[in-house]
Amino acid sequence: MIKRTVLLLRPQPNNVKKEDASEDFFAQLAEILKGEKSPLSAEIALYGKFLWFFLTCPSEIKEIVKGQWRSHYPQTEIEEIKEQFEKPLKV
């Protein structure tokens, strides 16, 4: 069973990056993980005036994910949060 990490990514409200930055993030991450069996899940949440991203990834690649995100959004707050499920899903 794969141990997973859920990351909450909160770009700063004064962020000037456009949507292209998030598209580039996912494209580069896909290239890095090409050929790997590393399931990712992404959710976008609008909280008030803020746009937040939730990414679920295998724990072994969480630092890669964080690094790639920070390369596009350097001033993002990244927090590891508890998973919503008590039992891990089988992949």
Side-chain angles (χ1 to χ4, degrees):
M1 200 166 309
I2 298 172
K3 185 174 180 191
R4 300 178 304 166
T5 298
V6 179
L7 301 172
L8 169 57
L9 310 166
R10 293 183 287 202
Q12 295 296 310
N14 59 352
N15 173 47
V16 294
K17 299 277 186 167
K18 301 293 181 202
E19 294 82 18
D20 294 350
S22 60
E23 289 176 23
D24 289 345
F25 161 76
F26 285 108
Q28 288 178 359
L29 192 59
E31 188 62 31
I32 290 169
L33 300 175
K34 192 175 187 175
E36 296 285 325
K37 293 187 177 185
S38 298
L40 296 173
S41 171
E43 295 181 44
I44 300 171
L46 185 59
Y47 184 73
K49 298 178 187 177
F50 305 104
L51 188 63
W52 291 357
F53 297 85
F54 292 88
L55 293 177
T56 303
C57 64
S59 296
E60 63 193 30
I61 66 165
K62 72 179 176 183
E63 295 305 322
I64 294 170
V65 172
K66 287 178 181 181
Q68 281 300 306
W69 187 264
R70 282 208 171 102
S71 73
H72 294 286
Y73 296 97
Q75 296 179 328
T76 296
E77 290 180 41
I78 299 178
E79 178 183 346
E80 290 184 35
I81 61 173
K82 287 189 175 184
E83 199 164 341
Q84 302 172 27
F85 307 105
E86 288 183 22
K87 296 180 181 177
L89 298 174
K90 292 184 181 181
V91 178

